[in-house]
Amino acid sequence: MAISYWRRRDRYYRLLGNKCTRCNAEYYPPVYICRRCGSESLIDAEMPGTGKILTYTILREVMSGFEGQQPIIIGIVQLDNGVKVLGQIVDTPIDALKIGCKVRTVFRKIREESSAGQIYYGYKFTVLC
Amino acid sequence: MAKVIVASVGYTRVGDHWDKSILDLAVEASKKALKPYPNIRPEVIIVGNMFSSQSSRQEHLGALLASALNLTRTPAFKVEAACASGGVAFNIAYNKIRSGEVSSALVVGVEKMRDLDTPEASLALSMAESAEYTQFIGASFLSLNAMLARLYSETYNVSRDELSAFPVIAHSNAATAEHAQFRKAISVEDVSRSPLVSDPLRLLDCAPVGDGAAAVLLASDAFDEDDGARVDVLSSKISTNIFSVYERDDMLKFDATRDAASKAFSEAGISVEDVDVLEVHDAFSVTAALSVEAMGFSREGEGAKDAAKGIYALRGRYPALTFGGLKGRGHPVGATGIYQIIELWLQLKGRGNANQVKGCRIGVAQNIGGVDTTSVVSVLARR
Amino acid sequence: MPLNNSLIPFKGWVNFGLKTPKNAAIAGYGVYIPRYRLPSVEVARIWRGGEEAPLIKKAVASLDEDITTMAVEAARRAIKMAETKELGAIFVGTETKPYAVKPTSTIVAQALNQHKVLASDLEFACKAGTEALQLILALIGSGMIESGLAIGVDTAQGRPGDDLEFTAASAAAAYILSKRDVGSIAVVEGASSYVSDTTDFWRRAGQQYPRHLSRFTGEPAYFYHIQHAVKNLFDEFGYKPSDFKYAVFHQPNPRFPVEVALRLGFNLEQIKPSLLNPYIGNPYAANSLLGLAVVLDEASPNDLILVCSFGSGAGSDALSIRVLDGVEEKRRKAQNKVRDMIEASVEIDYATYAKLRGKIVA
């Protein structure tokens, strides 16, 4: 986990996806081949930091590795460039959550291996409205 | 092309098997499937399993099982396609016989889930999804389906009670199914009163965690069966979708299922109306609804509503989940696809007992891995 | 030489204090205050049998926040305000590092996509933030870098039931400093530091919570060092209290900054705008830099601001900061005021606080 996290840290820290140089389609997670035009010429592209909630859930039983964080709110957010991104939604009271709520990215701790292990950071979302 | 026959079946009850290992379970189901035909030595053994490495620290299941069955020298291997592992294993065996490469095959689906505690099982299941972008952020498989359920309910104005219809049907059928994990009927009120696990999904929207093994012995039509009603495999098709649901343009379209069903139905020469019994992948209430829509049994947005109208009940137009489905019979993930084939076999053979769909001739099984990421649709017929 | 183009009259060579470079200036600032507030009455309810408590709310970081995440949030706001493309140095001043060994500054650098930087973490209890700022200033003044980022940040924690628990808070303040230009917000005119070996508050390696000599906190520690640093600054640069529109002091509680201000000859009008302790508590290394930020949110060009930090152990950095014309345009664009973050808050009870700050042993 420590190395696979390191490999993707720019993806997680900066919401760094990619973009087709031929048709400008943008992706997060990044793709290997453009889904729209088939081009293999893609360059890294930072995603916009704001969007809106398309759907969400309050997960009350978390996976191994996330113990102590429950409940966690998870949403699928459509960013301002149209790209859909999965992420946790934080600092938001459950009754304030609605489909269509505006959100922005924040930099947060995702989880830690243990009190002696590595800490993994990444993007999450927080509600603006 | 050779015809492919489901000659015999073997299975364990789904649930807690504290006293049995993954191999114990696989051997038990295999022996039952092999027993009626001691003269058939399967020419290939294919094991469908998702996460034996997680649950049992065991891989290499093909040779492990072949050796345990005293069938060394037989080609044997495991195939994995998340919750569709069983369906995919069946598809490969079917095609090997159809092509003439072999004339018999033992297909075994097995999963040992109860050795894992709930957070560990949840992590193991999340491996069906992207480790880097779904699992990393803490989104379990349950949470993805919950988000789909919210989107589905909002988009098509589906009520809580309508969403509960599939679990109610599943449990109603499981109540009289001997191999089911939950032999207990539930009401729509039971579903809406059950604890929220990932809003809007409640505990009774979700298939349980259970151990189980299911095996089928497939043979070519050269095989001569003695008890009359023969069950033929008419077609089996696998399709795949864009990997994660949030990467898809329309998250409410199960395109892998749509594609696999349309190809499987076309090859079998059937249409939706010809189907007498239907095993759908009801891992969650919403999954069942989107599946019947993708296969054409219900119109878009009508799957759950149709279930609430009784269309998928045992005596409905398209009897579904006839022994409880994933929700009621249980969902030992790698074995599920094989349980579905076995349940169609029981129906088509007329061995359904209290769960028998009268006069059924054509059965369809749909087995999904991920959120419709892999889908296997197979058509079986009584001859 | 260094004082030739100073904005204040040349007072002759001095043998103490710091000659700050006048070609370097604050180009942007950003703060981050976490959303949750724990009222001190809650701490009193649990640990003092509900006896009366000072009317303080302290800012509490969520369970997925630490100094790294808050530093990144504050830094991103500062960079946006400064419109800086490239940084030459990143210093993070803190005493609550999540890693005892491994720099926070490199995580911040990665998150900001800034790699050609001199990066380091600084520790000096509550004054590591003003130290970071001065080091960046010096690097720019010497010509080693064009611009840099100084952050003061802490997730301060008091042992459950300890006096410190009423106020120990979480927040971050980040400053971008660059070569002075028309967009500059403020320039540091003078600086003076004063330190001594005074053990008023400490945390031994491997310990979770700090300890303190409670009676020692005021006179020999806080007041002694702040008064010395400020007096030296005055002596060196010829300031008097009335030269300053604002005075910002380290605020461990609501009382100390007021008292030290009065002792030094300031009045309440000068100190009031920066008094944040009742609303957010004491976020240690972010403390005085937050006070500066809230003042910069309202100051006018040419205003003079005194900032004096205090760090246990002990020492103070006194800085005189002149507001420049660029402040108005930058503020207008940034649309991001400290008081907005103070207000966008949610009160929590002690149980929630215990969960968020890892005080429940599962």
Side-chain angles (χ1 to χ4, degrees):
Chain A
M1 181 68 205
I3 293 168
S4 57
Y5 160 78
W6 174 85
R7 188 183 296 132
R8 297 290 182 237
R9 64 204 188 288
D10 279 329
R11 307 281 179 217
Y12 301 149
Y13 292 5
R14 292 162 50 211
L15 209 56
L16 188 69
N18 67 0
K19 182 180 175 173
C20 175
T21 59
R22 191 158 79 190
C23 76
N24 288 326
E26 292 183 274
Y27 299 98
Y28 189 91
V31 297
Y32 296 90
I33 300 164
C34 179
R35 282 199 192 107
R36 196 200 283 166
C37 77
S39 166
E40 291 182 34
S41 170
L42 295 135
I43 51 164
D44 282 348
E46 222 167 285
M47 296 292 113
T50 50
K52 60 173 188 190
I53 297 176
L54 292 182
T55 182
Y56 65 92
T57 185
I58 301 124
L59 181 63
R60 288 145 203 272
E61 283 187 4
V62 292
M63 291 191 282
S64 181
F66 292 83
E67 292 94 343
Q69 294 194 35
Q70 69 273 27
I72 58 179
I73 304 170
I74 297 169
I76 296 174
V77 165
Q78 183 155 40
L79 300 173
D80 292 344
N81 63 353
V83 172
K84 294 197 287 290
V85 176
L86 180 75
Q88 282 191 33
I89 299 170
V90 295
D91 284 357
T92 305
I94 286 167
D95 53 18
L97 280 169
K98 262 197 218 90
I99 287 177
C101 272
K102 289 225 181 326
V103 295
R104 70 171 175 82
T105 51
V106 290
F107 185 79
R108 293 292 174 109
K109 217 156 76 170
I110 303 294
R111 68 183 190 93
E112 40 192 71
E113 286 289 359
S114 66
S115 61
Q118 280 200 27
I119 304 167
Y120 305 134
Y121 297 96
Y123 70 88
K124 291 185 183 179
F125 295 99
T126 191
V127 167
L128 291 173
C129 55
Chain B
M1 293 276 188
K3 278 232 181 252
V4 182
I5 295 155
V6 182
S8 59
V9 305
Y11 50 95
T12 69
R13 189 184 164 183
V14 180
D16 291 325
H17 289 287
W18 305 120
D19 54 339
K20 288 172 188 158
S21 72
I22 191 166
L23 183 59
D24 293 342
L25 292 165
V27 168
E28 183 180 328
S30 302
K31 282 167 92 173
K32 285 179 186 164
L34 293 170
K35 199 171 177 194
Y37 301 102
N39 295 331
I40 299 182
R41 183 187 165 96
E43 291 170 39
V44 64
I45 297 170
I46 304 178
V47 180
N49 169 266
M50 180 181 171
F51 52 69
S52 60
S53 57
Q54 297 296 310
S55 67
S56 313
R57 298 194 171 202
Q58 181 69 62
E59 284 297 358
H60 212 172
L61 294 185
L64 185 74
L65 179 61
S67 173
L69 294 171
N70 262 354
L71 291 171
T72 48
R73 295 193 311 282
T74 309
F77 52 89
K78 159 176 164 171
V79 299
E80 187 280 314
C83 305
S85 299
V88 169
F90 174 79
N91 172 284
I92 294 169
Y94 161 74
N95 281 311
K96 277 181 174 290
I97 295 174
R98 209 163 75 107
S99 70
E101 184 194 335
V102 296
S103 60
S104 64
L106 178 68
V107 190
V108 185
V110 63
E111 207 73 63
K112 185 80 192 150
M113 300 179 79
R114 303 288 288 181
D115 284 11
L116 299 172
D117 66 20
T118 304
E120 287 170 343
S122 181
L123 178 64
L125 286 168
S126 80
M127 294 177 190
E129 260 292 331
S130 163
E132 292 183 327
Y133 297 101
T134 304
Q135 191 195 98
F136 174 76
I137 69 123
S140 63
F141 197 59
L142 162 66
S143 68
L144 287 182
N145 285 280
M147 286 189 280
L148 214 55
R150 185 182 301 280
L151 194 61
Y152 179 73
S153 301
E154 292 269 334
T155 305
Y156 298 114
N157 199 20
V158 174
S159 71
R160 174 63 261 182
D161 285 357
E162 286 167 340
L163 202 59
S164 303
F166 273 113
V168 169
I169 291 169
H171 274 259
S172 159
N173 296 339
T176 47
E178 274 178 26
H179 62 285
Q181 184 167 0
F182 292 128
R183 299 185 58 185
K184 180 172 165 268
I186 58 170
S187 64
V188 287
E189 292 75 27
D190 290 333
V191 181
S192 51
R193 276 199 301 257
S194 66
L196 276 167
V197 288
S198 193
D199 312 26
L201 291 183
R202 293 175 179 274
L203 186 66
L204 291 179
D205 282 299
C206 314
V209 168
D211 300 333
V216 291
L217 181 64
L218 303 185
S220 72
D221 57 355
F223 160 81
D224 194 10
E225 201 179 4
D226 56 4
D227 80 342
R230 207 174 87 171
V231 175
D232 288 352
V233 185
L234 298 187
S235 64
S236 176
K237 293 291 175 187
I238 304 173
S239 189
T240 53
N241 202 339
I242 290 174
F243 195 76
S244 291
V245 67
Y246 50 86
E247 296 180 286
R248 300 173 195 159
D249 287 338
D250 188 341
M251 297 192 280
L252 293 177
K253 290 252 166 52
F254 273 16
D255 284 344
T257 290
R258 182 181 306 275
D259 184 49
S262 110
K263 287 172 177 161
F265 291 3
S266 152
E267 188 167 297
I270 63 158
S271 62
V272 167
E273 292 74 31
D274 299 325
V275 177
D276 301 313
V277 55
L278 176 62
E279 292 303 326
V280 298
H281 192 94
D282 61 326
F284 303 92
S285 47
V286 65
T287 327
L290 290 170
S291 294
V292 292
E293 291 172 23
M295 287 188 283
F297 293 99
S298 286
R299 285 206 301 256
E300 209 171 273
E302 303 280 329
K305 291 175 192 290
D306 284 349
K309 287 177 197 154
I311 287 169
Y312 298 105
L314 200 61
R315 306 283 170 245
R317 171 65 186 85
Y318 297 113
L321 318 172
T322 61
F323 293 89
L326 281 64
K327 175 70 199 82
R329 168 242 298 136
H331 181 32
V333 287
T336 288
I338 306 301
Y339 275 103
Q340 291 179 324
I341 298 296
I342 289 170
E343 287 157 356
L344 291 183
W345 185 87
L346 290 170
Q347 290 290 0
L348 297 171
K349 283 276 208 184
R351 298 186 189 177
N353 299 328
N355 296 53
Q356 184 63 44
V357 174
K358 297 214 169 51
C360 61
R361 210 184 63 80
I362 290 183
V364 165
Q366 174 241 10
N367 182 205
I368 292 179
V371 183
D372 190 57
T373 306
T374 295
S375 187
V376 192
V377 175
S378 302
V379 181
L380 276 66
R382 171 198 176 103
R383 187 132 56 102
Chain C
M1 276 284 278
L3 291 176
N4 273 356
N5 52 3
S6 161
L7 294 171
I8 59 161
F10 181 62
K11 296 275 295 177
W13 295 112
V14 285
N15 55 9
F16 54 84
L18 303 165
K19 295 174 260 309
T20 56
K22 299 305 173 291
N23 60 341
I26 295 170
Y29 59 94
V31 307
Y32 180 78
I33 302 169
R35 187 157 307 187
Y36 303 103
R37 300 286 179 277
L38 179 70
S40 48
V41 290
E42 268 296 292
V43 182
R45 179 173 71 87
I46 300 299
W47 293 111
R48 302 285 156 91
E51 84 180 41
E52 281 180 27
L55 287 175
I56 298 171
K57 291 179 197 170
K58 68 168 185 172
V60 177
S62 191
L63 83 177
D64 60 352
E65 295 185 289
D66 61 16
I67 58 129
T68 314
T69 66
M70 297 196 302
V72 169
E73 286 292 324
R76 282 179 174 166
R77 288 169 170 82
I79 285 176
K80 197 171 157 219
M81 186 188 214
E83 296 173 329
T84 306
K85 297 275 182 291
E86 270 185 50
L87 298 173
I90 296 174
F91 292 136
V92 179
T94 184
E95 57 154 89
T96 43
K97 281 161 61 95
Y99 287 98
V101 176
K102 170 183 157 110
T104 304
S105 50
T106 55
I107 310 173
V108 174
Q110 188 81 37
L112 301 176
N113 198 24
Q114 297 287 341
H115 295 276
K116 291 196 283 189
V117 293
L118 177 66
S120 197
D121 294 2
L122 309 172
E123 188 277 310
F124 193 144
C126 298
K127 94 168 180 81
T130 50
E131 286 185 324
L133 191 139
Q134 291 181 83
L135 291 177
I136 296 290
L137 210 55
L139 287 170
I140 297 169
S142 71
M144 279 182 76
I145 62 170
E146 296 279 318
S147 61
L149 168 63
I151 303 172
V153 57
D154 264 310
T155 51
Q157 298 233 51
R159 185 196 319 278
D162 189 283
D163 283 350
L164 292 176
E165 199 184 24
F166 288 92
T167 53
S170 300
Y175 286 78
I176 298 286
L177 296 119
S178 295
K179 284 252 156 67
R180 186 170 166 175
D181 61 24
V182 287
S184 295
I185 285 174
V187 65
V188 179
E189 280 191 0
S192 175
S193 288
Y194 193 87
V195 301
S196 77
D197 177 6
T198 302
T199 314
D200 54 320
F201 164 103
W202 68 95
R203 178 165 63 86
R204 291 286 303 275
Q207 295 294 305
Q208 189 179 357
Y209 294 110
R211 301 207 175 194
H212 55 100
L213 294 175
S214 56
R215 276 186 211 90
F216 216 58
T217 306
E219 239 22 270
Y222 181 86
F223 292 104
Y224 179 83
H225 292 89
I226 288 185
Q227 284 171 245
H228 270 76
V230 172
K231 277 181 179 154
N232 288 343
L233 185 80
F234 283 13
D235 290 348
E236 183 181 345
F237 296 97
Y239 295 126
K240 54 188 185 302
S242 58
D243 294 337
F244 294 89
K245 177 78 185 290
Y246 302 98
V248 179
F249 295 99
H250 176 64
Q251 308 163 37
N253 55 42
R255 190 168 58 83
F256 279 15
V258 177
E259 186 169 337
V260 82
L262 296 177
R263 284 189 197 184
L264 286 164
F266 292 93
N267 61 43
L268 288 177
E269 288 307 302
Q270 289 164 295
I271 186 175
K272 234 169 149 177
S274 66
L275 294 180
L276 300 178
N277 188 281
Y279 313 106
I280 60 166
N282 176 10
Y284 288 34
N287 190 314
S288 45
L289 290 183
L290 261 170
L292 173 60
V294 75
V295 163
L296 286 174
D297 274 352
E298 64 163 72
S300 304
N302 213 36
D303 284 349
L304 191 60
I305 304 167
L306 173 78
V307 177
C308 190
S309 60
F310 169 73
S312 292
S316 282
D317 298 334
L319 308 168
S320 54
I321 294 172
R322 179 78 67 182
V323 182
L324 301 175
D325 292 340
V327 73
E328 285 168 335
E329 173 77 359
K330 285 264 179 68
R331 269 195 315 229
R332 194 178 53 74
K333 277 201 202 157
Q335 295 272 330
N336 198 356
K337 287 191 176 276
V338 179
R339 295 213 183 269
D340 295 340
M341 292 210 90
I342 291 172
E343 275 166 33
S345 63
V346 175
E347 266 191 36
I348 55 172
D349 59 10
Y350 197 91
T352 306
Y353 162 73
K355 179 189 176 191
L356 297 185
R357 291 288 82 207
K359 293 178 196 300
I360 298 173
V361 179

